Amino acid sequence: MTCCSSGIGLAGTERESRCTPTELALSSKVLGGGLRQSTLSVPEMHCASCIRSIERALSAVDGVEVARANLSTRTVVANWRTKKGQAPDLVRTLADIGYSSHLPSSEVDGEDRVQAHLLRALAVAGFCAMNIMLLSVSVWAGADVGTRQAFHMLSAGLALPAILYAGSSFYISAWRALMHGRMNMDVPISVGVLLSFGLSVYDTITNAPQAYFEAGTSLLFVLLGGRLLDHMMRSKAKSAVAGLARLMPRGANVVSHDGSVDYLPLADVQPEMRLLVTAGSRVPTDGIVVEGRSELDGSLVTGESAWRSIDLGSAVRAGEINCGGPFMLTSSVAPEDSLLSEMASMLATAEDGRSHYRRLADRAASLYAPVVHSLSFLAFAGWLYSSGDIHRALTIAIAVLVITCPCALGLAVPMVQVVLARRLFDRGLMATEGSAFERLAEIDTVVFDKTGTITTGDPALLNPDQISEAHLAIAGSMGRLSAHPVSKALWMSQTKLGLEVVAFDDVQEIVGFGLEASIGADIYRLGRRNWAASPVTSPIVNPASSVVLSKNGEPLTDFVFGETVRPGTIGLVQALRSRRIDVQILSGDSRQAVAFIARSVGIERFESELLPGEKVRAITDLQSNGLRVLMVGDGINDAPSLRAAHVSMAPSSASDIGRSAADFVFLDNSLFVVFEAMEAARMAARLVKQNFGLAVVYNALSLPLALAGFVTPLMAAVAMSTSSILVVANALRLAAPVAEKSRDQALRSSQLAEVPT
Amino acid sequence: MNALMVLVPLTIAMGAAGLLAFLWSMRAKQYDDLDGAAERILLDDEDGSV
């Protein structure tokens, strides 16, 4: 096999390799009877006709038995059989009808057990609470003794399923907390519900005039509602993150001794195997090049923006993208021992920046629960001492527990977070962790990675004003025929200016060097200086890469390429400044490249050429000085520091390991969403505090009444529901746009700043 | 009182029937793809039913 010249690359080949049928087969589930099931993520599916065309196209494929699209998760599930030992090419089929699809990065779990349990519990609690409430209202309206007794009996029977089934998750969680010597919100809830149920049963048997069945069951109903919303929001975000494309290959092309190539799953790849890395795909494991030459983009691995040329004997690392022609390597380690796994183990050992973070609700609970419990115990002791009536004392003690109802507290945080998560989800930001919003509201320092975070992967022409249109037209027309990102950028610049396409007699791509085209007797070359033209020194600003256009060996023009800054970055830096938030860059790239980008976006403090471990240390140093750091990064090398920071974000283009280490993933191409998220999180923190305030005021008003023994079940029910409604209504205020004003300002200033120079 | 003896159990039985119907529909995976269900109503062919 030789790879000195790969013909002309098709325009529009993606940098990410498409999922092949073999890869699809490797990732499929075996259903038995020769039937296999594959799940594909189809992000562009959005309406009824999409559903129909996707299902029809896939069902028509030879071997596919049934295909069912799911619009909520933007996935399609297909059951298929192999035909002639070949898996059907589902991805190609979908591409033919205009939908891009990929294997989800992690298993999109079709069945969410927790959600199903919560929903069932909510249904049971709702049924019980509503019916008991009907009966209770009749009792309060003045039923006679016999009817009252019958109704109380009925209520007791109706309350049983709610208490036993719907409340079970609260008791389990409360028990776990107590076993670990902690307090959480579920402890007072469980104690209140169980005690009030027990006392009400006793009162029913003794034919007392009052029972508290509806209080306990409605409490469960309201809290389960809050919990279900919270869970649904989070699982929606999780499944959206899981639906992002998986960047690491699932297998590798293994070349056997007789030269045949087999695609094997990564788990079967051993050291000392010969692997073929095709153009545009990622290197599956660390190794040494044994045949061919190419250029590798390692930006996602180390943060280096400039490409490395590789030749015989060069070492390559797992995760780098092959931007040139195909080459062969001998694997030095099995994939699970490659650099990737080194990062994974670093992740595991990195001090978790959030392990010691306790959620606000739990902190409130640890204050609230002892106070309420001791108050209710004091009420019990006081009344027992003064009246000697144990039943009366117990009733009042339980009334205290019920009326200081934790529902406002139990709803205060989740409701605000649900509304906040919903809002940010619509802006393309997904939180994978419940307490992430709380931590985001506290930060005072933002640390950015450079490559892939502040910059996108596409090269940008830095010196368009030094280039004549004629030369750009020639270079662009040559570049049109190559898949190399620099060629693409040249072609883009040409189409932007609307220049004529130059026709060549012949164009060929010489991998690792550049393009050669001929018009008549003239030979144009576009590529490395030492290949295209005789060496001439030229001052270069920030050469992420520079190519030269030459005619018969005489250089015509230098094209200097730098990185493209993500839109919204300058506005973001200014907005953060205006909030007195410190901004820094920590990058693995060369000092020159980092300095150039830092200058162009207006960040003064930066460190460069950092190894992953050094990034982590830089962040832990900041945090040990009492700062709260938000880390925004994307690479494999950023994963440990994303974990170490107080809170972290990754763009959706980030490496698999980086995405899973971050608290937030944003889909937006603009970085400004970081600021919007911070503003919204701060507002949410204010609302949570207000909600706690409301709960405290309400308790301060109702407690004396309960202690004095004035609280009837009717009063408790009214007070409980009003407090819950207040808290939820207050949380809904967050749905109103907050960052509008500051966003408009920042956008205006960033537009002024980002005028192309 | 006699009316109550009939009506109250009847009411509760009807509520319970509704609850059971909901639990059954959940087990039948009718809530797995609500967005899709909303859109599929627009499709007028009968071949996509699973």
Side-chain angles (χ1 to χ4, degrees):
Chain A
M1 191 200 80
T2 55
C3 35
C4 52
S5 120
S6 63
I8 293 162
L10 290 170
T13 43
E14 296 152 32
R15 288 179 69 190
E16 297 305 333
S17 56
R18 244 200 230 148
C19 154
T20 59
T22 351
E23 204 161 358
L24 185 87
L26 283 182
S27 65
S28 63
K29 262 200 305 221
V30 181
L31 297 179
L35 202 61
R36 285 168 166 272
Q37 185 175 69
S38 294
T39 306
L40 281 174
S41 183
V42 189
E44 289 144 11
M45 172 185 356
H46 64 277
C47 66
S49 66
C50 300
I51 294 177
R52 183 168 49 189
S53 43
I54 286 172
E55 287 182 355
R56 277 198 179 159
L58 288 183
S59 306
V61 176
D62 199 18
V64 175
E65 306 232 325
V66 66
R68 175 92 181 167
N70 183 328
L71 187 63
S72 313
T73 54
R74 301 262 198 282
T75 53
V76 59
V77 178
N79 295 350
W80 49 271
R81 289 176 196 283
T82 47
K83 289 279 159 169
K84 303 179 201 113
Q86 271 289 315
D89 196 346
L90 305 180
V91 176
R92 164 64 51 87
T93 311
L94 288 176
D96 289 346
I97 57 168
Y99 294 98
S100 65
S101 58
H102 52 255
L103 291 169
S105 56
S106 54
E107 201 49 59
V108 180
D109 202 3
E111 278 193 272
D112 187 344
R113 281 180 190 192
V114 179
Q115 183 168 323
H117 174 79
L118 278 173
L119 200 52
R120 273 197 303 269
L122 182 73
V124 170
F127 163 76
C128 300
M130 300 305 152
N131 280 300
I132 293 172
M133 198 50 96
L134 281 176
L135 298 169
S136 300
V137 169
S138 327
V139 172
W140 297 334
D144 62 49
V145 180
T147 316
R148 188 187 69 203
Q149 179 66 355
F151 279 8
H152 277 173
M153 290 276 201
L154 267 175
S155 302
L158 278 171
L160 259 181
I163 299 296
L164 293 178
Y165 179 72
S168 57
S169 56
F170 293 94
Y171 315 144
I172 292 168
S173 140
W175 182 250
R176 231 180 257 140
L178 286 177
M179 283 295 97
H180 289 107
R182 284 182 296 108
M183 259 292 178
N184 63 10
M185 219 57 228
D186 295 336
V187 177
I189 292 170
S190 305
V191 172
V193 166
L194 289 172
L195 269 183
S196 71
F197 179 72
L199 181 84
S200 306
V201 168
Y202 173 80
D203 279 347
T204 305
I205 293 167
T206 57
N207 199 2
Q210 293 182 343
Y212 288 90
F213 289 116
E214 77 292 325
T217 46
S218 337
L219 179 61
L220 285 178
F221 176 66
V222 172
L223 288 173
L224 280 166
R227 256 170 225 211
L228 179 67
L229 281 174
D230 193 33
H231 182 86
M232 275 161 85
M233 202 59 238
R234 211 164 306 156
S235 65
K236 191 174 174 185
K238 272 210 180 80
S239 72
V241 173
L244 294 170
R246 193 184 147 119
L247 298 182
M248 276 311 286
R250 284 160 198 257
N253 293 306
V254 177
V255 185
S256 46
H257 295 297
D258 58 7
S260 63
V261 179
D262 286 316
Y263 192 82
L264 295 181
L266 275 191
D268 297 351
V269 175
Q270 303 293 337
E272 301 302 315
M273 273 187 173
R274 282 166 73 88
L275 308 176
L276 170 67
V277 182
T278 53
S281 68
R282 281 181 195 270
V283 176
T285 182
D286 302 3
I288 307 288
V289 178
V290 290
E291 202 177 300
R293 58 151 63 97
S294 179
E295 287 183 299
L296 293 187
D297 173 356
S299 57
L300 212 54
V301 182
T302 56
E304 285 166 62
S305 51
W307 296 339
R308 294 195 304 138
S309 299
I310 53 160
D311 212 327
L312 277 186
S314 316
V316 294
R317 283 162 300 191
E320 294 181 305
I321 305 177
N322 181 4
C323 300
F327 65 91
M328 290 242 258
L329 62 92
T330 304
S331 55
S332 47
V333 292
E336 60 262 26
D337 304 323
S338 64
L339 175 103
L340 265 181
S341 11
E342 199 181 310
M343 286 303 150
S345 60
M346 233 172 129
L347 255 185
T349 53
E351 193 209 346
D352 198 331
R354 55 206 80 148
S355 56
H356 47 76
Y357 185 85
R358 292 180 61 225
R359 294 179 63 163
L360 195 58
D362 290 341
R363 275 180 289 167
S366 59
L367 269 175
Y368 163 94
V371 170
V372 170
H373 286 159
S374 47
L375 261 179
S376 101
F377 181 76
L378 280 178
F380 173 73
W383 278 92
L384 186 64
Y385 177 73
S386 59
S387 68
D389 180 349
I390 193 166
H391 178 262
R392 177 98 204 261
L394 199 57
T395 309
I396 285 169
I398 289 168
V400 168
L401 271 183
V402 170
I403 196 97
T404 54
C405 135
C407 35
L409 276 180
L411 277 174
V413 182
M415 271 318 291
V416 171
Q417 284 190 347
V418 168
V419 178
L420 176 65
R422 162 101 242 164
R423 240 190 71 182
L424 292 176
F425 191 89
D426 292 340
R427 291 282 301 110
L429 184 100
M430 293 155 309
T432 50
E433 238 273 45
S435 64
F437 295 120
E438 293 173 23
R439 286 182 275 121
L440 186 61
E442 300 176 339
I443 57 159
D444 46 26
T445 309
V446 181
V447 172
F448 291 104
D449 164 50
K450 178 183 75 72
T451 323
T453 304
I454 289 186
T455 62
T456 59
D458 316 312
L461 193 57
L462 291 183
N463 57 345
D465 40 0
Q466 298 166 9
I467 296 165
S468 72
E469 289 197 351
H471 290 163
L472 182 61
I474 296 171
S477 309
M478 286 167 82
R480 183 169 67 105
L481 304 164
S482 154
H484 201 289
V486 165
S487 312
K488 279 193 192 170
L490 281 170
W491 170 238
M492 286 286 294
S493 316
Q494 173 175 4
T495 44
K496 220 181 270 174
L497 292 172
L499 302 176
E500 286 284 306
V501 178
V502 180
F504 300 105
D505 299 340
D506 164 57
V507 180
Q508 55 177 333
E509 187 165 358
I510 291 118
V511 171
F513 294 110
L515 292 156
E516 189 173 82
S518 58
I519 303 179
D522 292 333
I523 293 180
Y524 290 93
R525 279 182 167 188
L526 175 70
R528 293 162 178 257
R529 172 168 286 280
N530 53 12
W531 167 75
S534 45
V536 180
T537 48
S538 64
I540 286 172
V541 225
N542 164 45
S545 45
S546 92
V547 294
V548 69
L549 176 69
S550 71
K551 183 177 174 182
N552 303 326
E554 286 302 307
L556 299 174
T557 317
D558 264 319
F559 297 93
V560 183
F561 284 92
E563 297 173 276
T564 314
V565 174
R566 226 180 243 275
T569 310
I570 294 171
L572 171 68
V573 173
Q574 288 171 343
L576 291 174
R577 283 266 159 68
S578 69
R579 288 273 184 281
R580 301 258 165 82
I581 289 174
D582 188 31
V583 186
Q584 299 187 23
I585 297 182
L586 297 178
S587 172
D589 204 358
S590 68
R591 183 167 180 81
Q592 215 181 5
V594 181
F596 179 79
I597 291 293
R599 242 201 328 273
S600 61
V601 298
I603 297 177
E604 285 115 25
R605 302 181 54 182
F606 62 87
E607 289 183 56
S608 54
E609 295 171 29
L610 295 175
L611 294 171
E614 291 170 329
K615 278 197 184 192
V616 173
R617 203 163 320 124
I619 286 178
T620 44
D621 284 353
L622 286 172
Q623 294 193 146
S624 56
N625 294 338
L627 294 173
R628 301 280 170 87
V629 178
L630 161 68
M631 165 91 193
V632 188
D634 73 320
I636 294 171
N637 59 326
D638 297 318
S641 41
L642 286 170
R643 172 72 62 187
H646 190 59
V647 59
S648 52
M649 291 187 187
S652 56
S653 56
S655 57
D656 305 334
I657 190 169
R659 277 195 309 237
S660 60
D663 293 312
F664 293 97
V665 174
F666 57 93
L667 295 170
D668 205 350
N669 198 18
S670 160
L671 257 188
F672 197 73
V673 74
V674 174
F675 183 72
E676 286 177 47
M678 276 177 47
E679 287 293 288
R682 288 183 173 201
M683 171 145 183
R686 275 201 301 278
L687 282 178
V688 166
K689 288 203 182 85
Q690 283 172 8
N691 273 353
F692 279 158
L694 280 175
V696 167
V697 168
Y698 152 85
N699 280 332
L701 290 176
S702 58
L703 250 179
L705 291 176
L707 285 173
F710 291 144
V711 173
T712 61
L714 171 61
M715 278 180 64
V718 171
M720 261 169 56
S721 37
T722 43
S723 73
S724 299
I725 290 169
L726 260 182
V727 167
V728 172
N730 193 35
L732 287 175
R733 287 173 43 204
L734 190 59
V738 273
E740 286 291 335
K741 222 190 275 178
S742 47
R743 183 169 75 208
D744 289 348
Q745 277 171 0
L747 275 181
R748 263 203 301 279
S749 59
S750 66
Q751 272 158 1
L752 291 177
E754 282 173 30
V755 170
T757 44
Chain B
M1 187 66 209
N2 281 342
L4 286 182
M5 297 286 285
V6 176
L7 288 177
V8 170
L10 193 65
T11 321
I12 290 172
M14 283 164 74
L19 176 66
L20 290 174
F22 170 77
L23 293 177
W24 168 82
S25 65
M26 225 181 93
R27 295 224 357 216
K29 299 196 173 176
Q30 295 190 14
Y31 299 96
D32 279 12
D33 182 15
L34 293 172
D35 302 356
E39 292 285 347
R40 276 174 204 272
I41 198 167
L42 300 170
L43 301 178
D44 48 13
D45 52 36
E46 293 296 316
D47 57 8
S49 56
V50 173

